[in-house]
Amino acid sequence: MNKMSKTIKKLEKENLSWKGKHEQVSKSMFTMAEELRNSKNKNETLERLCRLCRWRTKCVGNILKSLTAKLRTTKRRKKRMKGERRRKRPLKSLLSMKRMTKK
């Protein structure tokens, strides 16, 4: 009988230790699950921000392309206008010389 009570006490202590370990493991698993959920949320927000940054970069690149194209065309127009002015100047001077000779 005495032996039986000792083994029962041992088993009860072992049972309590296993229950404590089980509770600790379940708590740690719960916290790990929360951390995983939080990291997934953070990951999703970072992915959204990354997509937004890529889109903005693409838009800015398109804007820069269009602006550089406009700048090139305006530079070409200015060069053409300068060239036309140079051509017109000698013609004007020739006409004015003709007028002066007629008088």
Side-chain angles (χ1 to χ4, degrees):
M1 199 63 167
N2 199 11
K3 217 178 196 186
M4 190 78 129
S5 65
K6 284 182 183 179
T7 54
I8 289 173
K9 284 181 183 179
K10 265 187 185 178
L11 289 173
E12 285 176 354
K13 284 181 183 179
E14 197 174 314
N15 187 20
L16 287 173
S17 69
W18 282 110
K19 281 184 182 180
K21 287 179 184 178
H22 175 71
E23 287 177 7
Q24 288 176 350
V25 168
S26 63
K27 283 180 184 178
S28 64
M29 285 182 64
F30 182 73
T31 56
M32 288 174 65
E34 283 183 13
E35 289 174 0
L36 181 66
R37 195 176 308 125
N38 289 338
S39 65
K40 283 183 179 179
N41 290 339
K42 286 179 184 178
N43 190 20
E44 288 174 0
T45 55
L46 288 174
E47 285 176 351
R48 270 190 253 125
L49 287 172
C50 188
R51 274 188 248 116
L52 179 66
C53 288
R54 281 191 211 132
W55 179 76
R56 284 186 178 175
T57 304
K58 187 177 178 181
C59 289
V60 168
N62 291 338
I63 290 169
L64 285 175
K65 283 180 186 177
S66 65
L67 289 175
T68 53
K70 286 180 183 178
L71 184 64
R72 286 180 188 153
T73 55
T74 54
K75 283 184 179 178
R76 287 181 192 155
R77 286 181 187 162
K78 285 182 180 179
K79 283 183 181 178
R80 286 184 198 154
M81 290 178 75
K82 284 182 182 177
E84 289 173 4
R85 287 180 190 158
R86 288 182 187 156
R87 288 185 205 134
K88 288 181 181 178
R89 285 182 187 157
L91 290 175
K92 284 184 180 178
S93 63
L94 285 173
L95 289 174
S96 64
M97 288 175 76
K98 283 183 182 178
R99 286 183 193 153
M100 291 174 103
T101 54
K102 285 183 182 178
K103 289 184 183 178

